[in-house]
């Protein structure tokens, strides 16, 4: 049986814009109501302006009205599969502190909880 989140991430990975690094990433997010949103990395000649696939997917989810994420799948061509960068971990945590994150590579996949990826995270509760 195929996983729709993995398939969605694989499909959007093909659309990544990565002319500088060649490192294409696809991300698919599942919201608490079962909706799926996708994003891919978009590089820029001014490297700091590059957007990661995870944050692109979160932006699409928020634009679609989502506020709670329950699962994320990231697809790369690296082995072992890559975990989200620090900035993406913080953004994912904002919308899914209980999120499950799965990184899928060509030969294997790895799963984490958001709490494993970002222990002692900074969140809205620190602003109260």
């Amino acid at each position: 049986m195929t996983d729709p989140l993995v398939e969605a991430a694989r499909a959007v990975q093909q659309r990544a814009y990565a002319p500088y690094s060649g490192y294409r990433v696809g991300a698919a997010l599942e919201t608490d109501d079962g909706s799926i949103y996708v994003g891919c990395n978009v590089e820029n000649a001014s490297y700091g302006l590059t957007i990661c696939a995870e944050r692109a997917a979160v932006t699409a989810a928020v634009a679609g009205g989502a506020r709670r994420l329950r699962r994320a799948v990231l697809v790369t061509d690296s082995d072992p599969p890559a975990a989200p960068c620090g900035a993406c971990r913080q953004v994912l945590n904002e919308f899914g502190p209980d999120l499950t994150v799965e990184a899928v590579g060509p030969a294997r996949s790895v799963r984490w909880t958001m709490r494993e990826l970002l222990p002692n995270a900074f969140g809205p509760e620190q602003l109260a």
Side-chain angles (χ1 to χ4, degrees), residues 42-102:
V42 179
E43 294 181 349
N44 190 279
S46 176
Y47 296 132
L49 297 179
T50 294
I51 185 165
C52 297
E54 299 92 316
R55 286 182 282 144
V58 167
T59 300
V62 170
R67 294 293 183 267
R68 301 297 302 164
L69 305 174
R70 67 177 169 204
R71 188 168 164 236
V73 170
L74 319 172
V75 172
T76 66
D77 293 328
S78 59
D79 190 30
C85 74
C88 288
R89 292 176 192 202
Q90 183 64 44
V91 171
L92 288 167
N93 187 74
E94 181 77 14
F95 297 96
D98 297 314
L99 184 67
T100 299
V101 178
E102 181 178 3

